Amino acid sequence: MPLNSLRFGRKPHISRHLRPPESNAGEQAGPGVGLPAAEYLHRLRLREAEVDRLDRLDLRLGNSRLVVFVLGTILLWPTLVSQTVSAAWLVAPIGVLGVLIAAHGRVVRELNRRRLGSGFYRRGLARISGDWSHPHDDGGRFLPADHPYAEDLDLFGRGSLYGMLCTAHSLPGRETLADWLLRPAAASDIAARHDAARELRGRLNLQEELSLLAAELSPELRADELEAWGTEPRRLAGAAWPLLALILGVVNLAAVLAWIFGPLGGKVLLAILGTSAALALPVRSRVSQVLAGIAMPAGELRFLSRFLARLESESFADARLRELQRCAFDGNGAARKRAGERPSRGLVELAKLIEWNDSRSNLFFRPLSALLHGGTQIAFAVERWRGRHGTVVGNWLRAVGEVEALLALATLSFENPDYVFPEIVTDRSIFEGAALVHPLLPRESRVANDVSLEAGGGAAGASPALLLISGSNMSGKSTLLRTVGVAAVLAFAGAPVPARRLRISPLAIGASLRARDSLLEGVSGFYAELRQLRRIRDLAAAGPTLFLLDEILHGTNSHDRHIGAARVIHGLLGAGALGLVTTHDLALAAVAEELGARAANVHFEDHLEAGRMAFDYKLRPGVVTRGNALALMKSLGL
């Protein structure tokens, strides 16, 4: 249902004169330097020029490798078969081919990075233009089965707020962002996120680099699973067993060499190997358990280490970002930066252990590993690693997740410089929004509306606690509820909101806009709405609440509806809640009159233009005086 549309002026003109510098030095000024679209377009053109240059270099190096390989192959006949040319002539093509292969590999890696960088800015331009047809992630898996507002406000799934907002690549980043949308934060946390997002929003080089690094992370690398592995009881400890394994490995190797070169007989060799295996037997099952626990992708850990290394190298002024850096160093916020505690290096060490363990499955290395007790050595090394880093490895991944979530907020702010960070008020329960619009609507079809609510309203000069909204079909009532709800969700997540101004207090959110029946559960639509209303009542009883009720109790007769709706509304306002209620039933307008100054009737209008219904989506005081149901039926030939 289209809502209210705010005109933000002419579409931005992309001028060739608006070319910000490529260095980070120009980023500190933030989004005030040029238009976001101009900045993205300029950087996109630079990346595409680099892609074209590297594509040509890739082709030349590939052709050069082929030519050198063919020349080397031609030289094989006179050097190895006819022996008319010295074999030394093969050294040159082999050396040149090796150099070309190494150079070609570097070019291919850089080409892939530049292509990813181009995609980063293309997605940004698409978001600015309002194109979310192919979201980075729609977050459908994060939609809870039973939540007071997630489904009603379209937080997840196709065409969702999360799909518009999410720029995170790692699973912890996506989980953190989803959690912020689902759980209103404390006022102190909201203020901290505001400050962090303001600092990050102009650092496009940092955002691009972290995005490219995070793009290589596995979406299944979970912080909770990594933390559970890191903190589980150690199975192997002490220095005696690793020393014994080293001695046994050296003895085994010496025995095999002695057998190969003759001094040692086969029976003696088998006796030595059997004794060695018997001595290692007491820890064999525990070694197997430890090695089974590191069945994780080493490559992902290496990419994660690079992400953290980039974060470690950055200089931040914001307190929360500095705290995340400190947590990334030692996991608990202590400001220690000794080299051995850097997570980027610790993760590289773990990745090497995993790679060594994986190599044991290779047919060539398996016998050598068994001979040297490689599995035992690796298992003890893994346990030593867990002893140093196991309690904080989960926090490293969470730091990545929070940084990515903060980058999503910063990106929303950068790409929408007309959005504002809300003011959080803690001395009373209010919602005061000026020029509110819904962020998922196209800019050209937005109409702004003001909404002002205050719990316990009725005092002189105070806003009402309830707006009872009447209006015809398709006039914008439901979308206004979603606009208010989404503004509150963004505000409590620490994000900027699409408004000229928003003052809001910490509030629980309860919405009933989309109650559905269920054949599986044997629940009618009306009963599903009643359950949602009870959930909202419980929220209001627990603390300050913002309620959003669309067509309240529309599934019953007008007599019961009027009495039931009045009692629900009286109960919510009596508990100190504030909110909006929409209705087609003009008899319900009397409820607002009964509540006096604590409530107000407002409405949307429509009119006929050339025989068609037209709407301006502007909120007006009072009760609507006419409906459009018959006109709509007539327009459809009914």
Side-chain angles (χ1 to χ4, degrees), residues 356-374:
W356 290 342
N357 184 54
D358 292 343
S359 70
R360 295 172 58 244
S361 61
N362 184 282
L363 290 177
F364 176 77
F365 289 107
R366 185 181 299 172
L368 184 61
S369 174
L371 194 69
L372 297 175
H373 292 280

Side-chain angles (χ1 to χ4, degrees), residues 24 27-28 195-203 205-207 210 307-326 328-329 337 399 402-404 406-407 410:
N24 268 327
E27 294 183 347
Q28 302 301 327
D195 293 339
R198 287 189 181 100
E199 179 164 350
L200 288 171
R201 69 182 170 189
R203 300 195 178 190
N205 284 347
L206 174 64
Q207 291 187 32
L210 292 181
F307 187 105
L308 289 170
R310 183 63 181 88
L311 184 61
E312 291 163 1
S313 67
E314 193 69 16
S315 176
F316 294 117
D318 175 68
R320 181 55 188 159
L321 293 173
R322 293 200 308 271
E323 180 67 16
L324 285 172
Q325 277 186 315
R326 289 193 291 270
F329 278 115
K337 297 186 178 181
E402 185 163 347
V403 169
E404 280 209 285
L406 289 171
L407 286 172

Side-chain angles (χ1 to χ4, degrees), residues 346-408:
L347 287 170
V348 168
E349 181 185 344
L350 178 59
K352 288 179 180 178
L353 292 173
I354 294 172
E355 288 166 350
W356 290 342
N357 184 54
D358 292 343
S359 70
R360 295 172 58 244
S361 61
N362 184 282
L363 290 177
F364 176 77
F365 289 107
R366 185 181 299 172
L368 184 61
S369 174
L371 194 69
L372 297 175
H373 292 280
T376 303
Q377 296 284 8
I378 293 172
F380 273 94
V382 168
E383 290 292 74
R384 288 194 297 272
W385 190 96
R386 288 204 307 126
R388 295 194 308 273
H389 305 296
T391 59
V392 296
V393 64
N395 290 341
W396 296 347
L397 208 50
R398 288 194 189 88
V400 170
E402 185 163 347
V403 169
E404 280 209 285
L406 289 171
L407 286 172

Side-chain angles (χ1 to χ4, degrees), residues 98-223:
V99 171
L100 288 174
I101 290 173
H104 197 193
R106 288 194 296 271
V107 168
V108 169
R109 287 192 294 272
E110 186 61 23
L111 177 59
N112 290 334
R113 282 181 54 82
R114 292 303 180 183
R115 283 173 175 160
L116 287 172
S118 298
F120 175 82
Y121 292 112
R122 283 196 191 94
R123 289 191 298 272
L125 288 169
R127 287 191 299 269
I128 290 174
S129 68
D131 178 11
W132 300 296
S133 56
H134 301 286
H136 181 63
D137 176 21
D138 67 12
R141 63 189 180 282
F142 296 124
L143 180 63
D146 191 17
H147 191 269
Y149 60 85
E151 184 175 8
D152 296 88
L153 299 182
D154 302 308
L155 294 195
F156 303 101
R158 186 173 180 269
S160 66
L161 182 67
Y162 177 92
M164 176 204 73
L165 191 59
C166 182
T167 58
H169 290 270
S170 71
L171 183 60
R174 299 178 186 188
E175 288 177 333
T176 299
L177 184 60
D179 184 64
W180 287 1
L181 296 178
L182 291 170
R183 295 197 303 169
S188 58
D189 290 332
I190 294 172
R193 293 173 193 173
H194 287 176
D195 293 339
R198 287 189 181 100
E199 179 164 350
L200 288 171
R201 69 182 170 189
R203 300 195 178 190
L204 293 185
N205 284 347
L206 174 64
Q207 291 187 32
E208 179 186 359
E209 290 173 32
L210 292 181
S211 174
L212 300 188
L213 291 169
E216 304 293 344
L217 294 176
S218 168
E220 304 305 323
L221 194 60
R222 301 179 59 93

Side-chain angles (χ1 to χ4, degrees), residues 14-54:
I14 308 302
S15 170
R16 61 185 177 88
H17 301 293
L18 291 174
R19 286 195 169 185
E22 178 67 3
S23 68
N24 268 327
E27 294 183 347
Q28 302 301 327
V33 181
L35 298 170
E39 179 102 3
Y40 280 173
L41 186 60
H42 169 60
R43 288 170 175 262
L44 175 60
R45 287 170 176 167
L46 290 176
R47 301 300 177 269
E48 288 179 337
E50 281 295 299
V51 167
D52 290 341
R53 182 184 68 83
L54 292 169

